Amino acid sequence: MSRERETWATRFGLILSMAGNAIGLGNFWRFPRLLAANGGGAFMIPYFIALLLLGIPLMWVEWSIGRYGGKYGHGTLGPMFYLMARESVKPRTALIFGIIGGMLAFAVTTLLNSYYIHVIGWTAAYAIYSATGSYYGANTVEFFNNHIANTSMVLTTWFIPMIILFIAAYRGVAKGIELFNKIMMPLLYVFAVILAIRSITTGAPVRPDWSSWAGLQYSWNPDFETLRSNFWVISLAAAGQIFFTLSLGMGIIHNYASYVKKDDDIALAGLTTASLNEMAEVILGGTVAIPLAYAYLGPDVVKQGSLGLAFMALPNVFTALGDAGRVFGMLWFLLLFFAGWTSAIAMYNYLVALLEEDLGINRRLGSLIVFILYFLLGLPVALDSSLTYFGELDNWVGSYLLVVLGLFDVIVGVYLFKPDNLWKELHTGALIRVPSLFKYILMTLTPIYILILLVGTTIDYYNQGVFAQADPLIVGARIAIILVLIIGAIETYYGIKKKYSKELAENRK
Ligand code: PHE
Ligand code: NA
């Protein structure tokens, strides 16, 4: 290694940055939407099972893979998987695993972020709309559709997160990313707590049976009957959400962990990340949107659980709160903005690391190149106000590729690297001991669970007719995914080849 690798400045900053990475729109927007649409309390049961069997174990694996790769100067998945697979197979076989990991992470970090940053842009716009009371008195569904169709507004507000992303990435891990997280994450918590308190103290302003309390009960009462009759759909949605919300299967936990010093604890830090995310999701995320919407708009609106909960339903609540609603509305959308931005920067940085480490492009130029890349990839999202292209990308990248990548986390990080090595790696410098029960969970239940999730989602897509759709925007999204996968594979191949050409040529174990 010629140059000293960047590291996090402080442990506090690392934890806040990892929390920022995991805590995102997934917690405050996706989670309440899924919870509401999947029977409330019925959703919580498979959700917590997936957290225990998938989420937390995989979190430890990804931290371990990441810090391990960082020791060799790598912050991207291709070389990380390559090095770990080398423990069991010859270099050229390991190269294949490297390419699979690198290609999947590349596709996720480019495409998922290309629409995710747009949603962050909407939150910026809506923070402004709230402050100015723009949607007051309007039909909020029409208002939202008008916003999406207002290309100049969409493009302008999209640039706000884009430019801050660029600045943070340009300044580097400690001076940029960590610093921004140290500012945004505490604010996020403060806003979330204010909104949560406002929400549970709402009472029943409209109808006696529409109380915020009844909304909380809807989220928390385990409803076994609903779960039994929709077992598959609810379980799949819950497991998919665990992946999404913990930022698993994306390459970005690995990337952030690669900047941890080589003997610093990751066992407790990984668990802390998962816990902070879950607190933000279940307690804060679960307390704000649903009870408020329940109290003001009633159970029917809540249960629709549409994309509209954050952008269409809640604005009606803020309107009902009068002038104070402008402030609460602004806090809500700023909260979403910070949550989203601190996740998007992780994806952004993954690509900066890739350019830096594989192609020798320095961070500053790299940050600019990634900016241009997201600009180009984000344009079709901005121009398609039907959100068809967006939806299809989300179907495959945001809900499917993650899970495939998670399976390879286990194949490579647990099996090929060997379970005992992984356990040793996880415990190097560890502040806690993870019960070995989790090692066996990782070897058995976790991969089985992931496989069931993959097969189940595929069947579910088939039944929903996802495969049969042939709208040009949908076909376009699929072509984009395939192209990006191919480019990711080629890039990873060269990245690994460049650094390990000698051992690949010899191909000895
Ligand atoms: N964990 C993030 C969330 O809950 C997921 C994510 C990370 C999405 C990075 C996009 C970019 O929102
Ligand atoms: Na999250």
Side-chain angles (χ1 to χ4, degrees):
M1 270 165 281
S2 48
R3 217 161 31 84
E4 205 39 49
R5 188 174 176 72
E6 286 181 275
T7 55
W8 301 100
T10 61
R11 184 161 168 86
F12 181 66
L14 158 69
I15 298 286
L16 276 190
S17 302
M18 276 288 196
N21 177 333
I23 299 173
L25 297 168
N27 300 52
F28 297 98
W29 183 46
R30 200 176 192 269
F31 174 78
R33 174 163 66 93
L34 288 178
L35 177 68
N38 288 286
F43 181 78
M44 292 290 200
I45 304 160
Y47 179 84
F48 280 109
I49 295 175
L51 174 66
L52 219 71
L53 299 181
L54 285 178
I56 294 175
L58 276 178
M59 184 60 88
W60 278 318
V61 174
E62 295 202 347
W63 275 77
S64 305
I65 298 175
R67 191 187 56 184
Y68 182 81
K71 285 182 205 169
Y72 296 89
H74 297 299
T76 62
L77 233 57
M80 288 177 182
F81 273 16
Y82 170 77
L83 288 176
M84 292 190 122
R86 291 271 288 99
E87 288 292 320
S88 295
V89 296
K90 289 184 176 172
R92 282 184 212 154
T93 314
L95 178 64
I96 295 172
F97 288 99
I99 291 174
I100 294 173
M103 149 187 116
L104 289 169
F106 183 74
V108 174
T109 49
T110 49
L111 292 174
L112 175 51
N113 226 14
S114 75
Y115 62 85
Y116 196 87
I117 303 174
H118 268 292
V119 183
I120 304 172
W122 303 350
T123 67
Y126 266 75
I128 302 168
Y129 293 148
S130 300
T132 55
S134 305
Y135 49 67
Y136 276 43
N139 171 326
T140 56
V141 176
E142 274 169 26
F143 188 91
F144 179 78
N145 291 331
N146 288 339
H147 169 69
I148 297 296
N150 182 348
T151 312
S152 60
M153 185 68 182
V154 166
L155 291 177
T156 312
T157 45
W158 175 42
F159 264 73
I160 300 173
M162 283 280 275
I163 287 178
I164 313 175
L165 284 168
F166 168 74
I167 296 172
Y170 182 92
R171 292 174 53 100
V173 173
K175 292 205 189 93
I177 300 170
E178 184 171 343
L179 180 74
F180 278 78
N181 272 293
K182 278 184 187 156
I183 300 168
M184 290 187 185
M185 291 307 290
L187 282 174
L188 176 151
Y189 275 102
V190 172
F191 294 174
V193 169
I194 296 175
L195 286 161
I197 294 174
R198 180 64 188 81
S199 175
I200 39 175
T201 55
T202 296
V206 179
R207 274 173 49 166
D209 55 330
W210 287 7
S211 68
S212 54
W213 198 242
L216 263 191
Q217 268 180 337
Y218 174 70
S219 310
W220 281 102
N221 269 357
D223 173 357
F224 290 101
E225 199 29 59
T226 307
L227 179 58
R228 196 166 327 142
S229 47
N230 303 283
F231 183 78
W232 276 105
V233 175
I234 297 182
S235 303
L236 292 179
Q241 173 64 9
I242 284 296
F243 261 94
F244 191 93
T245 190
L246 290 170
S247 297
L248 296 170
M250 302 182 177
I252 57 181
I253 297 288
H254 316 74
N255 176 257
Y256 271 19
S258 78
Y259 302 106
V260 172
K261 295 184 193 85
K262 68 180 192 304
D263 295 322
D264 273 2
D265 159 85
I266 54 175
L268 179 60
L271 183 62
T272 308
T273 308
S275 312
L276 287 172
N277 182 71
E278 289 316 305
M279 272 188 315
E281 176 142 310
V282 173
I283 301 181
L284 298 172
T287 310
V288 178
I290 293 180
L292 262 185
Y294 203 101
Y296 279 95
L297 311 169
D300 290 343
V301 173
V302 167
K303 285 172 195 169
Q304 279 167 6
S306 66
L307 174 131
L309 195 59
F311 292 96
M312 297 175 201
L314 285 185
N316 284 320
V317 174
F318 302 131
T319 304
L321 296 176
D323 277 342
R326 293 192 185 196
V327 178
F328 286 117
M330 209 177 70
L331 290 183
W332 166 249
F333 289 110
L334 283 177
L335 161 80
L336 291 182
F337 182 88
F338 291 149
W341 189 92
T342 51
S343 297
I345 188 63
M347 298 232 164
Y348 199 114
N349 189 66
Y350 182 93
L351 294 173
V352 174
L354 183 134
L355 293 174
E356 205 175 12
E357 292 157 14
D358 290 353
L359 304 176
I361 296 173
N362 73 42
R363 173 170 280 281
R364 296 183 167 183
L365 179 60
S367 302
L368 183 65
I369 294 175
V370 176
F371 184 93
I372 296 168
L373 179 74
Y374 281 134
F375 176 75
L376 296 175
L377 289 171
L379 270 187
V381 183
L383 299 178
D384 163 31
S385 58
S386 69
L387 301 184
T388 313
Y389 174 81
F390 173 125
E392 185 65 2
L393 281 186
D394 192 45
N395 274 342
W396 294 107
V397 183
S399 319
Y400 202 88
L401 292 186
L402 314 184
V403 186
V404 180
L405 211 171
L407 185 62
F408 280 94
D409 270 336
V410 177
I411 296 176
V412 178
V414 181
Y415 276 99
L416 295 179
F417 188 53
K418 293 181 182 153
D420 290 336
N421 287 338
L422 171 75
W423 225 239
K424 221 171 82 204
E425 182 61 35
L426 174 63
H427 287 96
T428 305
L431 296 172
I432 53 167
R433 276 217 74 75
V434 177
S436 10
L437 172 66
F438 276 102
K439 185 160 89 183
Y440 300 105
I441 290 180
L442 262 172
M443 293 164 66
T444 54
L445 294 179
T446 308
I448 294 171
Y449 210 133
I450 299 177
L451 274 173
I452 295 175
L453 176 57
L454 272 180
V455 174
T457 310
T458 311
I459 296 173
D460 193 37
Y461 279 5
Y462 184 82
N463 291 338
Q464 282 178 30
V466 171
F467 290 106
Q469 285 163 340
D471 182 291
L473 287 166
I474 288 188
V475 176
R478 291 178 188 164
I479 294 176
I481 296 169
I482 291 168
L483 278 179
V484 169
L485 283 170
I486 294 173
I487 295 170
I490 297 173
E491 191 286 327
T492 312
Y493 173 79
Y494 279 106
I496 299 174
K497 194 87 192 265
K498 197 173 121 193
K499 198 144 178 207
Y500 300 101
S501 57
K502 227 177 115 214
E503 57 179 68
L504 278 165
E506 286 168 0
N507 200 32
R508 266 201 306 268
K509 226 184 133 194

